[in-house]
């Protein structure tokens, strides 16, 4: 009997392998047939990715045989609803399918913590929180739910997960990484990839593509080696130089990519950073020799946004260097922000092939990889989105996944005399910039590239006269952003709300503006979540500026960072804002018990404050489901999160990571209490 079972198992395995081989052979024959039919113009078009905002005309998709479009942060349809996305992408797809060979577009987006560009989508905790859960199951569920919502809006590809290993808390992308630990990042990578790429049963097996990024060493750059100027912001570490030996690079930053390839990831994005002075986008050793040949990655290699532009030399030499290094698809993305026009890219790439600077064999390899991905996710069979699928966006099922993810990601760092969990029959005064600010809960990459701070009317109304003037708004933003304060943004915030241009914003104008520019209609702030969890009236007092703190009860201060991403978030001080610091000082003077919830994309410098706090929870950037924060605060869920990053005492220690020769953190890697 045992022998029979073994025979059956062997036969089953053979059939499985045979089936996979047969499918791959069918795919490869189909793709090869297409490649042989394609003209050089068609091949060059397939290697071109354009942000939809930068199209001169929709007809250019057909005219130039464009292979891919994307929506960068804030690149949304006029109707930024799930159905609006389906309609927009189908319109673009119709252009692609009108061409001679009818090769469909693949449309990509940064769905990095949910389908975060889409108003109404479920927005989950950023990776820093998921890393503190260290739970592959919840990572899988978060990414599977995200994949459902991406597919439901007609998109095909998410530029996620970020499997970086960040080593310096000052980096503006710290929160995009699961951990400073290579082991934790690697452990969560398989679930992150398969969560996105596994077949979606709700849509009959439809698939999307994931993108492991950024290859390689993006989290290991050295402070002050960044140089890009973005408006008033200088990138201090983002896109900088990673100074490591090859052995160190392989040990620290390569293992997550080995796991991603093992998981079957379809695409990998190259990083902006340099490795020992050489831009990754131009490194033949990293892309062709290491990634494609040594690691045998057979998927598609894509650049980051205008990534080839940072290679030394003129634009034509950038194209030649990057394509010969192994780049398959170039996120051009267009000329809106001063980068090269996609028509210029197309012209120069074609010219480079015709003159022999790029061999046709390299072009054919790139096209083969691009078409294989399109085939594998079913675009040739089912290229159009379906409006009726849009109902899956923001579903109650996905919202529950978000709530669970929030609960699992929170880290209890201090709990003097068991001040936590709070009791549902005790009086609590809630203060702080983050208590009723969904923008702070969500962080960057939410609706807009940099996210959007969403202070409520009450916190802005400094003199409590039920109207806002410009001085109140600018005063708030100055103290909330400190050195990152942007006067233009503050003035724009005010003018957009001052509908009648009379110099004052009424409550009605404030509400109307929020309706006209929706951010997260279904989001639940921490304040609203707590109010929803407490049945009795009069127990919760919202006093955002801590102006009327009576004796007795407990104060809950929700403080932290305003949203940012990439180099805009590079920050030498990473401390609390002067706004929140002033509020905390009032709390200390009151003599009441004080519980602090920190909303941040990294550990913040709090050494001078923490001795005054009875309770401390790191909530990171939990997203829209504030209910998960309330669940932990009130003991409906006992915290299980552990620090996936070391928490420094001061900036002189930075960068600080477990295993450093001089390791003396405020809270060590792996620390976390429970009830």
């Amino acid at each position: 009997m045992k022998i029979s079972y073994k025979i059956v198992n062997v036969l089953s395995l053979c059939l499985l392998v045979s089936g996979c081989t047969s499918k791959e052979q069918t795919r490869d024959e189909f793709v090869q047939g297409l490649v042989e039919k394609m003209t050089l113009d068609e091949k060059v078009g397939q290697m071109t990715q354009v942000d939809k905002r930068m199209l001169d005309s929709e007809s250019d998709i057909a005219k130039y045989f464009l292979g891919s479009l994307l929506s960068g942060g804030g690149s949304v349809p006029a109707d930024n609803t799930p159905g609006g996305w389906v309609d927009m992408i189908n319109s673009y797809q119709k252009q692609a399918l009108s061409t001679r060979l009818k090769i469909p577009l693949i449309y990509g987006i940064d769905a990095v913590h949910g389908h975060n560009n889409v108003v109404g989508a479920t927005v989950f905790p950023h990776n820093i929180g998921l890393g503190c859960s260290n739970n592959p199951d919840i990572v899988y569920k978060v990414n599977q739910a995200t994949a459902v919502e991406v597919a439901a809006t007609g998109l095909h590809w998410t530029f996620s997960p970020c499997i970086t290993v960040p080593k310096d808390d000052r980096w503006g992308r710290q929160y995009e990484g699961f951990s400073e630990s290579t082991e934790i990042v690697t452990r969560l990578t398989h679930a992150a990839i398969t969560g996105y790429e596994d077949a979606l049963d709700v849509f009959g097996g439809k698939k999307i593509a994931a993108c492991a990024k950024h290859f390689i060493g993006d989290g290991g750059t050295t402070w002050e080696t960044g140089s890009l100027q973005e408006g008033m912001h200088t990138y201090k570490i983002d896109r900088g130089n990673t100074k490591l030996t090859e052995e160190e690079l392989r040990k620290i930053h390569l293992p997550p990519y080995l796991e991603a390839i093992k998981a079957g990831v379809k695409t990998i994005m190259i990083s902006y950073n340099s490795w020992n002075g050489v831009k990754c986008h131009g490194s033949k050793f990293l892309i062709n020799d290491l990634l494609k040949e040594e690691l045998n990655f057979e998927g598609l290699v894509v650049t980051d946004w205008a990534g080839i532009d940072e290679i030394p030399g003129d634009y034509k030499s950038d194209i030649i260097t990057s394509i010969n290094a192994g780049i398959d698809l170039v996120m051009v993305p267009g000329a809106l922000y001063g980068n090269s026009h996609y028509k210029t890219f197309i012209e120069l790439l074609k010219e480079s092939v015709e003159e022999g600077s790029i061999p046709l064999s390299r072009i054919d390899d790139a096209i083969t990889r691009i078409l294989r991905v399109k085939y594998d996710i079913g675009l040739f069979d089912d290229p159009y989105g379906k409006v009726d699928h849009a109902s899956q966006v923001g579903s109650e099922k996905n919202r529950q996944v978000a709530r669970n993810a929030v609960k699992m990601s929170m880290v209890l760092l201090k709990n003097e005399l068991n001040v936590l969990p709070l009791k549902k029959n005790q009086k609590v005064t809630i203060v702080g910039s983050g208590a009723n600010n969904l923008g702070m809960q969500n962080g960057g990459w939410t609706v807009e590239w940099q996210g959007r701070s969403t202070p409520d009317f009450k916190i802005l109304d400094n003199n409590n006269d039920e109207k806002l003037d410009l001085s109140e708004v600018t005063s708030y933003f100055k103290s909330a952003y400190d050195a990152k304060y942007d006067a233009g943004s503050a003035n724009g915030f005010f003018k957009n709300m001052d509908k009648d241009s009379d110099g004052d914003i009424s409550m009605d104008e404030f509400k109307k503006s929020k309706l006209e520019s929706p951010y997260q209609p279904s989001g639940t702030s921490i304040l609203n979540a707590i109010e929803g969890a407490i049945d009795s009236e009069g127990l919760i007092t919202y006093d955002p500026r801590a102006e009327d703190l009576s004796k007795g009860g407990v104060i809950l201060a929700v403080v932290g960072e305003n949203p940012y991403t990439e180099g805009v978030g590079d920050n030498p001080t990473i401390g609390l804002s002067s706004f929140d610091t002033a509020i905390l000082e009032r709390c200390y003077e009151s003599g009441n018990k004080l519980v602090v919830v920190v909303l941040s994309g990294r550990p913040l410098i709090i050494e001078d404050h923490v001795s005054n706090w009875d309770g401390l929870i790191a909530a990171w950037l939990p997203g829209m489901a504030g209910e998960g924060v309330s669940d932990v605060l009130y003991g409906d869920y006992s915290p299980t999160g552990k620090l996936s990053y070391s928490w420094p005492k001061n900036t002189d220690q930075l960068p600080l990571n477990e295993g450093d020769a001089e390791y003396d953190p405020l809270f060590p890697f792996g620390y976390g209490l429970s009830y």
Side-chain angles (χ1 to χ4, degrees), residues 304-522:
D304 208 329
W305 179 281
I308 69 170
D309 296 37
E310 299 194 13
I311 300 171
D314 61 24
Y315 193 52
K316 183 176 179 180
S317 72
D318 294 345
I319 293 170
I320 294 169
T321 299
S322 61
I323 301 301
N324 283 335
I327 295 291
D328 302 313
L329 179 63
V330 176
M331 191 185 295
V332 177
L336 186 60
Y337 299 120
N339 301 117
S340 296
H341 199 287
Y342 59 90
K343 293 175 184 176
T344 303
F345 170 80
I346 288 168
E347 177 186 347
L348 293 177
L349 176 54
K350 182 180 179 183
E351 183 180 293
S352 299
V353 176
E354 290 176 333
E355 71 186 21
S357 298
I358 300 173
L360 188 59
S361 59
R362 173 74 272 276
I363 299 298
D364 286 349
D365 172 62
I367 297 305
T368 298
R369 290 167 180 269
I370 292 166
L371 296 181
R372 278 200 304 235
V373 171
K374 292 183 177 184
Y375 185 98
D376 285 345
I377 63 173
L379 277 176
F380 286 97
D381 295 325
D382 186 18
Y384 288 110
K386 297 174 176 59
V387 174
D388 59 329
H389 287 176
S391 62
Q392 291 291 329
V393 177
S395 70
E396 185 56 40
K397 177 183 177 182
N398 292 348
R399 180 58 172 264
Q400 188 59 50
V401 172
R403 184 172 184 166
N404 290 338
V406 173
K407 292 187 290 191
M408 294 177 188
S409 66
M410 294 177 66
V411 183
L412 177 63
L413 295 173
K414 188 175 183 181
N415 194 17
E416 293 292 319
L417 300 176
N418 295 320
V419 67
L420 291 170
L422 299 173
K423 298 176 178 61
K424 293 186 179 180
N425 62 354
Q426 72 183 128
K427 290 187 176 182
V428 178
T429 300
I430 301 177
V431 305
S433 63
N436 198 31
N437 190 320
L438 281 167
M440 287 180 65
Q441 276 181 220
N442 285 274
W445 296 113
T446 311
V447 181
E448 301 168 11
W449 173 45
Q450 290 294 324
R452 183 196 302 174
S453 188
T454 59
D456 65 13
F457 191 91
K458 188 168 185 176
I459 204 168
L460 293 171
D461 187 15
N462 191 23
N463 60 9
N464 298 310
D465 65 352
E466 298 187 357
K467 61 183 179 181
L468 308 177
D469 60 33
L470 181 59
S471 66
E472 287 178 302
V473 170
T474 55
S475 175
Y476 171 80
F477 278 99
K478 281 180 180 178
S479 60
Y481 280 88
D482 294 320
K484 296 284 185 179
Y485 171 68
D486 184 338
S489 294
N491 288 332
F493 179 93
F494 183 84
K495 289 179 180 178
N496 288 338
M497 291 192 175
D498 185 14
K499 300 300 180 183
D500 56 11
S501 302
D502 66 349
D504 287 320
I505 300 171
S506 67
M507 176 63 82
D508 286 342
E509 285 178 300
F510 190 86
K511 290 179 178 178
K512 184 178 180 181
S513 180
K514 289 182 69 175
L515 290 173
E516 291 176 352
S517 181
Y519 175 74
Q520 206 169 68
S522 300

Side-chain angles (χ1 to χ4, degrees), residues 70-192:
L70 81 147
S71 280
S75 180
V76 300
D79 175 19
N80 188 4
T81 64
W85 280 88
V86 174
D87 291 340
M88 179 186 74
I89 294 166
N90 281 350
S91 176
Y92 295 147
Q93 193 68 277
K94 185 177 180 180
Q95 288 287 335
L97 296 176
S98 72
T99 57
R100 180 177 71 96
L101 295 176
K102 297 179 171 30
I103 299 174
L105 280 171
I106 184 169
Y107 201 111
I109 196 165
D110 287 286
V112 298
H113 65 134
H115 200 4
N116 41 263
N117 268 295
V118 180
V119 172
T122 310
V123 179
F124 301 92
H126 271 292
N127 281 349
I128 189 171
L130 296 178
C132 291
S133 80
N134 199 11
N135 185 324
D137 181 60
I138 196 63
V139 170
Y140 180 90
K141 288 176 179 176
V142 164
N143 287 6
Q144 180 80 166
T146 301
V148 167
E149 299 198 7
V150 168
T153 50
L155 286 92
H156 322 114
W157 184 12
T158 176
F159 304 130
S160 184
C162 187
I163 54 174
T164 180
V165 183
K167 293 294 186 180
D168 193 320
D169 297 331
R170 293 169 291 189
W171 187 31
R173 306 193 77 158
Q174 189 86 343
Y175 61 83
E176 295 185 50
F178 291 120
S179 177
E180 71 185 42
S181 160
T182 301
E183 289 72 24
I184 287 180
V185 178
T186 304
R187 180 171 188 261
L188 298 179
T189 291
H190 193 280

